[in-house]
Amino acid sequence: MPPIPGSGLAKGLAVTLRTMTKKTVTEQYPDVQPELPPRTRGVIGLFEENCTVCMLCARECPDWCIYIDSHKETVPAAAPGGRERSRNVLDRFAIDFSLCMYCGICIEVCPFDALFWSPEFEYSETDIRDLTHERDKLREWMWTVPAPPALDPGAEEPKELAAARKTADKLAAQREAAEQEAAEREAGEREAAPRDAARPEQEGRE
């Protein structure tokens, strides 16, 4: 049976009419901010306190868009007779986002959790040279990093958290022992004070 003339047009108009009756899904950006997925790769934030200038991120970056400068400082010995040590001090940490391909290798290879993904994406510039952001800007983006997802109920406690809790408990026990020892010493000094004051009187009577 040959198709009825104009049936295709009628079907198309029917689709148009059905679509016109539906609520629009257009988000009025920038007045309405989009709801981004939790693992959005927007920009890279730097937590510089954890950076040891190991250079792994810069060496593994396929685009060579990470620039790091540092210098060495001598740390005095912690105890008398100890040996002085040297440590790296971060001077510059910059990422050229005009070259970055957002592969995330730098974040994965960082052994000290100094780099994190942030969903922030509003950092466009009119000059491509301004897309090289220094550590101050990367530090600001660090505070937009979402919290890590919760662990499964049956998952083991992270080793880092267990080690941190063990260290905190040990320090708390040492502090409590020191406070108790100081309190006992103070109580002993108070008890000895009246005795010392009574001795000259007894000697004078004799």
Side-chain angles (χ1 to χ4, degrees):
M1 180 179 177
I4 300 174
S7 60
L9 178 61
K11 291 180 180 179
L13 290 175
V15 173
T16 302
L17 291 173
R18 286 198 304 269
T19 305
M20 289 176 61
T21 58
K22 293 181 179 180
K23 185 179 180 180
T24 179
V25 294
T26 302
E27 294 181 349
Q28 300 299 326
Y29 177 84
D31 297 330
V32 179
Q33 292 293 323
E35 295 182 2
L36 301 175
R39 297 181 64 186
T40 298
R41 295 187 175 188
V43 76
I44 298 173
L46 171 67
F47 192 59
E48 59 182 87
E49 283 80 359
N50 287 354
C51 182
T52 61
V53 200
C54 64
M55 305 295 289
L56 276 177
C57 55
R59 288 200 298 264
E60 297 296 331
C61 177
D63 293 331
W64 292 84
C65 64
I66 301 177
Y67 311 108
I68 301 176
D69 293 331
S70 65
H71 69 277
K72 288 186 176 294
E73 284 186 356
T74 301
V75 180
R83 185 180 61 178
E84 294 183 346
R85 298 181 181 273
S86 62
R87 65 184 180 94
N88 294 321
V89 178
L90 184 66
D91 293 327
R92 185 194 183 201
F93 195 109
I95 299 179
D96 187 353
F97 286 98
S98 65
L99 298 176
C100 179
M101 57 188 283
Y102 302 90
C103 62
I105 293 178
C106 58
I107 297 176
E108 294 177 3
V109 301
C110 180
F112 301 104
D113 292 334
L115 298 174
F116 297 87
W117 277 120
S118 166
E120 182 67 35
F121 63 91
E122 296 174 323
Y123 56 95
S124 60
E125 301 288 348
T126 56
D127 191 343
I128 192 173
R129 291 172 294 184
D130 294 334
L131 283 173
T132 301
H133 294 290
E134 301 292 334
R135 66 176 182 174
D136 294 337
K137 188 64 176 180
L138 301 180
R139 176 59 179 260
E140 292 179 10
W141 283 326
M142 182 62 207
W143 309 123
T144 63
V145 174
L151 297 176
D152 294 335
E156 296 181 358
E157 186 181 37
K159 296 181 179 179
E160 296 83 1
L161 184 59
R165 182 177 291 107
K166 183 178 180 181
T167 303
D169 294 341
K170 183 178 180 181
L171 292 175
Q174 292 177 353
R175 190 181 302 111
E176 184 178 355
E179 292 176 356
Q180 184 177 0
E181 183 180 355
E184 292 177 354
R185 186 184 305 111
E186 184 177 357
E189 292 176 354
R190 289 178 180 176
E191 293 178 358
R195 298 175 183 174
D196 295 340
R199 287 177 182 176
E201 296 180 0
Q202 293 177 357
E203 292 176 357
R205 292 175 182 177
E206 293 176 356

